[in-house]
Amino acid sequence: MESDAEVCISHGDDLHASADLIGALECYSQAATLAPGDTEAWYSHGNVLRELGRPLDASASYMRALDAEPDDIDLWHIHGVASFAASSYDGAARSYSRAIELPIGDGAEPGRVADLPVGCGHASR
């Protein structure tokens, strides 16, 4: 049986896929309210905010996701992307550096991890 938050996330995913970003944002916000520690709710919330051109708000949502999953390389990467887009270059560098420090786990996307040094302004390894 799905929780109320999972239902909201699923509905938000459907709205997001149909390009209803405002509707999706409302669903993800509701999911995050219902389950404040839900990584997927905050990650999806951040993705929509980023698409809406609100990278600073997206960065804050990604940080909420990182509260629950502090060792998630992909979350640190996307937080860095949002921080960079918000002109928070120090924040982006810290996020990318944190991602580089973490061991690559089963869920990490190796292509993203390989791009991190470039994102930090360093030469590719």
Side-chain angles (χ1 to χ4, degrees):
M1 185 168 128
E2 284 186 311
S3 71
D4 290 342
E6 290 171 329
V7 171
C8 291
I9 292 169
S10 179
H11 186 59
D13 291 346
D14 292 342
L15 292 171
H16 193 188
S18 69
D20 181 357
L21 297 180
I22 301 302
L25 185 62
E26 290 172 4
C27 288
Y28 297 139
S29 293
Q30 185 175 4
T33 298
L34 292 168
D38 190 300
T39 304
E40 186 178 358
W42 286 112
Y43 175 77
S44 298
H45 189 261
N47 286 342
V48 172
L49 287 168
R50 199 166 45 89
E51 288 180 50
L52 287 169
R54 297 170 50 188
L56 190 58
D57 294 330
S59 176
S61 291
Y62 294 138
M63 280 307 298
R64 292 294 301 266
L66 282 161
D67 287 344
E69 298 282 339
D71 293 333
D72 187 310
I73 292 172
D74 294 326
L75 278 173
W76 281 109
H77 173 258
I78 198 67
H79 180 265
V81 169
S83 296
F84 188 87
S87 300
S88 175
Y89 305 119
D90 289 340
R94 281 191 301 274
S95 293
Y96 293 146
S97 293
R98 178 65 181 132
I100 290 169
E101 292 169 1
L102 293 168
I104 297 176
D106 292 336
E109 294 181 29
R112 282 190 181 179
V113 176
D115 289 342
L116 290 175
V118 174
C120 284
H122 303 290
S124 182
R125 295 183 203 190

